[in-house]
Amino acid sequence: MQTLYDKLWNQHVVHIESDDPSSMALIYIDRHLVHEVTSPQAFESLKLAGRKPWRLNSILAVADHNVPTTDRSQGIHDPISRLQVDTLDQNCDELGITEFKMNDLRQGIVHVIGPEQGATLPGMTVVCGDSHTSTHGAFGCLAFGIGTSEVEHVLATQCLLMKKSKSMRISVEGRLGLGVAAKDIALAIIGEIGTAGGTGYAIEFSGNAIRALSMEGRMTLCNMAIEAGARAGMVAVDDTTIDYIKGRPFAPQGELWDRAAAYWRTLHSDDGAVFDRTVSLDAAHIKPQVTWGTSPEMVTTIDSVVPDPALENDDVKRHDMQQALNYMGLQANTPIAQISIDKVFIGSCTNSRIEDLRAAAQVAKGKHIAANIKLALVVPGSGLVKKQAEQEGLDRVFRAAGFEWREPGCSMCLAMNDDRLLPGERCASTSNRNFEGRQGPGGRTHLVSPAMAAAAAIAGHFVDVRKLDT
Amino acid sequence: MEKFDTFTGLVAPMDRANVDTDAIIPKQFLKSIKRSGFGQNLFDEWRYWDHGEPGMDAAQRQPNPDFVLNQPRYRGVQILLARANFGCGSSREHAPWALQDYGFRVIIAPSFADIFFNNCFKIGLLPIILDTSALDRLFDAAKSTEGYRLTVDLQQQTVTTPYNESFTFEIDTFRKHCLLNGLDEVGLTLQHAEKIKQFEINRHNEQPWLF
Ligand code: SF4
């Protein structure tokens, strides 16, 4: 009896040093996604060593981190960002790698476009020089982030040297309440197991609350597996998975489709498969989540208050909490719903897909952002998401409500382009990291779901989406 | 990669948990397309009062004198003591590059984030896991003793204090072998090129839609 992770692992072992399952194995990589920030040094070393990419058609490249989200007809004005994007273009052109260039309609955040194109398929190993590669695990594949030396290793050999992780099952049973989203499940899990809780594990999310999620929701959840410390998160294949993939440009068709789909249906943990650790959550008890500190585990519920470090017994933890509150400019015991905000960011590989934009638009519809909101940004995950949203009229809903509607990219998730917080500014963000300075030096990030972010923009402070009369 | 052998180095304590890669090397420096030069921006936001951008002259910056690595006693440091979950966050290898470029050869912590841990080995920076009680003692000693040095012996897998107290650490045999001999992993993998090709052929037959 095998777990999904066992099946995926076993399918890809090219070579293993010894019979000991914990020894180093050479793992075959089916899909290699590449972006501009973590690849230039890998391409350079590859060239210096006189090597060539092993299998070009396994690679899909896109620039996302540095691209402007405003008018792109003028190119990128920051010369350093421009050089990085140009370097990717050059490397891809020179080697013959498929790349969606900045003005291609298909351009977008690497973790949005892989699935959108059908370049991410069940049963694959998917890697990218980016920790949120865990996102792709939503499709029943083994997907994880790698460093630049590993990017080079995969380019040169189509393989990676790695040790098998331990396995964890996180099962979420029951029905989510109205207004509670996949993002809230993710944050609730991190609140439960901590940001290091998944270290050394590959996590499988299961249970009927997970099966009830759309692919977008599953991607949000797997995206945040890395914030729980796990390199990989995954969800078993079911009809939802297969329906999503059907007809996408890189997906198989015709007779191959039938063969593929039949195989994909075997990609689930067998009944009775044993996990190294199991965690259970009751979906009905999950409330909208808001982070209050500088780590995703510093999270609480909308109806709660900022925790008091004085009540923490562990010295290191207390000290970290105090430091986080100082950075965030928050007082212990302040009700979360009384925290007012300056900016709102709806986007990132966590929450920039069509369903996320729909959820936010539903809250914003017919309303207007509060007077104290200096900027509310909506940044679709890809050109295709943007187009779809425009066809549905979501852009008009957002614009009428005072939001800015932007071009796709990472944007204020990590503020490598011009979109950023100023020191001291407080942001309700649908991204995945609230680290110090993540959205701009001195910026203060609160992680929330898309509906919660939109609701905060309208109210000017955090509010419980469950209590809105939309 | 440079070979790793026994060495004795000055120790600095970084007394905070969950130090993330954004803190180790802030994103504005990731725009570089080079592998070197990140050391001057290691821990940039903690280390300087002013905001750092690529291309700034470090001599013109305003160092924060309270930041641990800015204290004169830690000049020339090679070993970093850290707390739990060091290196969490992004996969950026720029974080180990920055630590190495600054002069670090070893990081000792009770736990590391997976991707960071992995990345360190690729460049010959050694992450060592010791238990919390051992670390508590090392932290105390490093803080109270100026010029505190530790000896790291990879062959023996030990960290030894000036009083000859030794702590043993675990390391995967393959990784140890690569570090001790300064081996190029790509070259090692390519020794299996035939096996990889065969694997690919079989895979192509079984799951042609992947190719
Ligand atoms: S959206 Fe944010 S987390 Fe996702 S890939 Fe871009 S920078 Fe990384």
Side-chain angles (χ1 to χ4, degrees):
Chain A
M1 269 158 314
Q2 295 183 312
T3 63
L4 170 58
Y5 177 59
D6 291 331
K7 291 181 185 179
L8 293 169
W9 177 268
N10 293 340
Q11 269 280 327
H12 291 89
V13 178
V14 174
H15 171 82
I16 186 153
E17 287 299 326
S18 78
D19 288 344
D20 176 3
S22 71
S23 67
M24 279 285 177
L26 204 54
I27 293 295
Y28 187 81
I29 303 302
D30 296 306
R31 176 66 69 210
H32 188 184
L33 302 166
V34 170
H35 68 79
E36 80 276 22
V37 180
T38 53
S39 66
Q41 296 88 350
F43 281 118
E44 190 190 48
S45 307
L46 187 78
K47 217 180 290 176
L48 285 175
R51 291 171 179 140
K52 286 250 172 314
W54 181 281
R55 180 153 80 83
L56 284 175
N57 71 359
S58 68
I59 312 171
L60 178 61
V62 70
D64 53 4
H65 286 63
N66 276 289
V67 298
T69 58
T70 46
D71 179 23
R72 287 181 179 169
S73 56
Q74 306 301 312
I76 304 175
H77 72 84
D78 172 6
I80 316 178
S81 287
R82 191 170 61 228
L83 176 64
Q84 206 165 49
V85 175
D86 287 349
T87 305
L88 179 68
D89 291 355
Q90 271 166 22
N91 282 320
C92 291
D93 291 348
E94 219 169 273
L95 295 166
I97 291 169
T98 308
E99 184 200 7
F100 297 161
K101 297 236 161 61
M102 190 169 81
N103 290 315
D104 191 314
L105 180 64
R106 300 167 297 175
Q107 181 271 343
I109 305 171
V110 66
H111 309 308
V112 174
I113 67 162
E116 182 175 81
Q117 291 295 321
T120 300
L121 295 174
M124 278 183 162
T125 38
V126 180
V127 297
C128 175
D130 193 285
S131 57
H132 291 99
T133 311
S134 59
T135 311
H136 307 260
F139 289 83
C141 55
L142 180 56
F144 50 90
I146 56 179
T148 298
S149 295
E150 290 178 311
V151 170
E152 182 193 345
H153 197 278
V154 176
L155 285 172
T157 70
Q158 210 58 39
C159 291
L160 271 180
L161 273 164
M162 57 196 304
K163 279 177 137 180
K164 196 173 176 191
S165 305
K166 290 178 283 183
S167 60
M168 184 187 305
R169 168 181 266 168
I170 298 184
S171 72
V172 189
E173 299 285 353
R175 259 177 90 128
L176 278 185
L178 214 63
V180 183
K183 181 66 161 285
D184 299 307
I185 306 182
L187 287 169
I189 288 171
I190 295 165
E192 174 95 15
I193 70 173
T195 48
T199 304
Y201 289 92
I203 298 178
E204 180 178 347
F205 299 99
S206 67
N208 56 20
I210 307 299
R211 282 198 297 281
L213 289 176
S214 64
M215 287 316 295
E216 284 85 353
R218 295 177 191 182
M219 284 189 258
T220 301
L221 192 59
C222 291
N223 174 275
M224 299 284 287
I226 183 70
E227 305 315 324
R231 251 180 123 171
M234 63 198 86
V235 175
V237 175
D238 60 10
D239 288 341
T240 308
T241 325
I242 290 174
D243 292 347
Y244 181 98
I245 299 166
K246 191 153 196 172
R248 296 195 180 257
F250 286 63
Q253 294 172 355
E255 184 255 342
L256 270 188
W257 167 265
D258 296 335
R259 268 175 74 188
Y263 166 64
W264 294 341
R265 287 188 193 281
T266 67
L267 296 173
H268 53 77
S269 291
D270 296 329
D271 285 343
V274 182
F275 291 80
D276 296 300
R277 186 178 170 194
T278 42
V279 175
S280 312
L281 268 81
D282 181 350
H285 287 152
I286 299 175
K287 298 175 181 174
Q289 309 277 311
V290 182
T291 63
W292 53 267
T294 52
S295 157
E297 71 184 16
M298 294 174 167
V299 64
T300 186
T301 53
I302 179 64
D303 55 1
S304 179
V305 297
V306 174
D308 189 347
L311 303 177
E312 173 61 54
N313 294 323
D314 182 300
D315 284 347
V316 177
K317 270 198 187 143
R318 186 170 56 246
H319 178 244
D320 286 350
M321 281 173 83
Q322 195 51 62
Q323 211 153 24
L325 291 186
N326 293 345
Y327 181 87
M328 294 296 289
L330 290 174
Q331 297 293 325
N333 300 313
T334 307
I336 297 293
Q338 276 176 24
I339 301 174
S340 68
I341 54 174
D342 306 303
K343 287 186 174 167
V344 174
F345 172 60
I346 298 175
S348 89
C349 57
T350 314
N351 282 130
S352 64
R353 297 177 185 84
I354 190 69
E355 185 184 275
D356 303 315
L357 303 188
R358 285 181 193 138
Q362 197 192 346
V363 172
K365 191 165 192 165
K367 311 243 170 57
H368 201 275
I369 60 172
N372 60 310
I373 302 293
K374 295 187 222 162
L375 177 70
L377 275 187
V378 186
V379 185
S382 72
L384 290 168
V385 169
K386 180 167 184 255
K387 189 174 152 202
Q388 163 92 30
E390 287 171 356
Q391 279 164 357
E392 295 180 18
L394 305 185
D395 58 324
R396 292 189 295 282
V397 170
F398 284 122
R399 283 207 173 102
F403 289 80
E404 292 195 15
W405 179 249
R406 295 288 187 88
E407 298 298 325
C410 294
S411 180
M412 213 159 74
C413 171
L414 97 165
M416 261 181 99
N417 66 357
D418 288 341
D419 310 334
R420 62 185 67 177
L421 299 179
L422 297 174
E425 280 182 341
R426 190 179 296 289
C427 181
S429 178
T430 65
S431 56
N432 43 52
R433 288 191 176 136
N434 51 351
F435 299 158
E436 284 187 18
R438 171 79 179 180
Q439 296 193 291
R444 296 160 171 165
T445 302
H446 295 268
L447 304 177
V448 288
S449 73
M452 283 288 287
I458 304 301
H461 55 85
F462 292 110
V463 283
D464 192 337
V465 278
R466 295 172 303 174
K467 296 188 178 144
L468 299 180
D469 44 10
T470 46
Chain B
M1 193 167 77
E2 209 184 312
K3 284 185 190 177
F4 194 106
D5 38 29
T6 303
F7 88 103
T8 302
L10 186 66
V11 180
M14 165 79 48
D15 204 353
R16 93 190 249 173
N18 298 313
V19 171
D20 60 76
T21 55
D22 280 79
I24 298 173
I25 182 85
K27 70 247 167 183
Q28 60 270 34
F29 305 107
L30 308 190
K31 294 182 184 181
S32 166
I33 56 170
K34 299 268 164 263
R35 242 177 221 270
S36 54
F38 295 101
Q40 59 173 328
N41 302 109
L42 175 71
F43 297 120
D44 200 275
E45 281 178 23
W46 294 343
R47 194 163 141 202
Y48 300 103
W49 289 124
D50 57 326
H51 172 65
E53 284 294 335
M56 281 168 90
D57 177 3
Q60 307 296 317
R61 306 276 309 271
Q62 301 153 29
N64 168 7
D66 294 334
F67 180 63
V68 53
L69 298 183
N70 286 338
Q71 295 167 26
R73 60 185 282 196
Y74 297 121
R75 198 160 293 151
V77 64
Q78 288 182 294
I79 300 175
L80 187 69
L81 297 181
R83 294 293 187 186
N85 202 25
F86 188 83
C88 59
S90 91
S91 66
R92 63 188 72 162
E93 200 166 302
H94 312 66
W97 292 340
L99 286 158
Q100 192 177 54
D101 193 48
Y102 188 87
F104 286 108
R105 299 191 63 197
V106 171
I107 320 283
I108 309 177
S111 61
F112 292 90
D114 284 341
I115 304 180
F116 176 85
F117 187 72
N118 218 30
N119 284 343
C120 287
F121 286 103
K122 309 289 171 190
I123 63 163
L125 179 69
L126 178 61
I128 294 179
I129 299 174
L130 292 182
D131 64 33
T132 313
S133 68
L135 269 157
D136 283 344
R137 282 159 59 200
L138 294 178
F139 264 100
D140 286 346
K143 284 179 186 170
S144 59
T145 322
E146 209 158 308
Y148 188 73
R149 288 166 179 270
L150 288 169
T151 299
V152 176
D153 186 333
L154 177 57
Q155 187 65 52
Q156 299 299 321
Q157 301 178 209
T158 53
V159 174
T160 308
T161 71
Y163 305 103
N164 274 329
E165 188 185 3
S166 268
F167 302 94
T168 326
F169 61 89
E170 296 292 321
I171 180 171
D172 173 78
T173 29
F174 177 79
R175 282 175 166 156
K176 179 175 170 179
H177 173 71
C178 287
L179 280 179
L180 284 173
N181 300 292
L183 295 178
D184 161 26
E185 276 193 18
V186 174
L188 281 179
T189 299
L190 286 175
Q191 292 176 0
H192 298 291
E194 282 314 312
K195 239 178 156 172
I196 303 172
K197 281 185 196 146
Q198 194 51 52
F199 182 92
E200 220 164 34
I201 292 169
N202 296 344
R203 193 156 180 75
H204 197 166
N205 291 339
E206 281 162 28
Q207 298 184 33
W209 58 85
L210 293 173
F211 291 81

